[in-house]
Amino acid sequence: MTKQTVFSFSLVLIFLFHCTKTIAQTPDILKILDKPGEFTVFIRLLKSTGMSDQINGEVQKSTSGYTVFAPNDKAFSDLRSGTINSLTDLQKVQLIQFHILATGVTLSNFQTLSNPVPTQAGGIGKGEFPLNVTSSGKQVQLATGVVKATLGKTLYSDDNLIVYQVDKVLLPLDIFSGYEPTVSAPAESPPVATKVNESGAVSLILNVMWLYIGIAVNIAAFSL
């Protein structure tokens, strides 16, 4: 075997190793969300809209990374009944896109964002898809004009993709301008026991006693 052959073979091995390593390190949004076991609704929407394949494909090509805000199942259960099912296919895609930023934002970098923050859903003008971010220390809040969500734990983070949990579904103003969040019914107050007026009760008893005494005296007087 010549030196040139050995050199060429070595280059092929290096290339294959690099390709295998790249494929192995490419994040998969569905696998990331499936692991905790509490994002079944979001996963279903990602699959039905085709956004999971789009995210995975874009992440591989991106040089700036992506950020995904993932509402858990409780966040979806807090919505009014039929909220998601009433959307058109296009609106479902826009809803998912509203949870995606075309740049990787670490926890410490949220305070550097300029509001409104552009998402994959489209325009940031009034009545469209504005997303406003406020950051104080490690606490980050996201306001859509319809709901306010709080950033939770980091589900995944690398140079290509960062995934955060959020406690509410981010409802874009363009789609949900007339949406009214559910309001929990106020807890019923426990019945208040009626206080007995002790002095009044004693007075009533004495009056009854004097009444009976008066009647007895009158009866005795007539019998004499």
Side-chain angles (χ1 to χ4, degrees), residues 3 13-14 35 62 71 79 116 122 130 137 139 161 172 191 208-209:
K3 291 183 178 180
L13 288 177
I14 293 172
K35 189 175 181 180
S62 175
L79 296 175
Q139 186 173 16
L161 178 66
V208 172
M209 289 178 61

Side-chain angles (χ1 to χ4, degrees), residues 143-163:
T144 72
V146 181
V147 297
K148 288 184 179 179
T150 300
L151 204 70
K153 60 185 176 182
T154 303
L155 303 173
Y156 182 86
S157 179
D158 67 12
D159 293 338
N160 300 315
L161 178 66
I162 303 177
V163 184

Side-chain angles (χ1 to χ4, degrees), residues 212-224:
Y212 276 108
I213 292 173
I215 293 174
V217 170
N218 288 331
I219 292 174
F222 281 114
S223 62
L224 291 176

Side-chain angles (χ1 to χ4, degrees), residues 25-46:
Q25 290 181 344
T26 301
D28 185 320
I29 186 65
L30 294 182
K31 291 181 180 179
I32 292 169
L33 295 175
D34 185 59
K35 189 175 181 180
E38 54 180 323
F39 297 92
T40 57
V41 180
F42 195 52
I43 289 174
R44 187 164 65 246
L45 283 171
L46 285 168

Side-chain angles (χ1 to χ4, degrees), residues 168-223:
K168 288 184 175 62
V169 181
L170 303 180
L171 304 179
L173 190 61
D174 183 65
I175 300 174
F176 297 95
S177 58
Y179 180 84
E180 294 183 2
T182 54
V183 179
S184 302
E188 294 185 2
S189 301
V192 180
T194 304
K195 292 184 178 180
V196 177
N197 189 324
E198 295 181 0
S199 61
V202 173
S203 177
L204 177 62
I205 293 172
L206 290 175
N207 287 336
V208 172
M209 289 178 61
W210 283 114
L211 176 63
Y212 276 108
I213 292 173
I215 293 174
V217 170
N218 288 331
I219 292 174
F222 281 114
S223 62

Side-chain angles (χ1 to χ4, degrees), residues 86-105:
S86 64
L87 300 178
T88 66
D89 290 343
L90 174 60
Q91 288 174 331
K92 289 179 181 178
V93 171
Q94 291 173 326
L95 176 65
I96 297 299
Q97 289 175 329
F98 194 59
H99 290 72
I100 304 170
L101 306 183
T103 183
V105 185

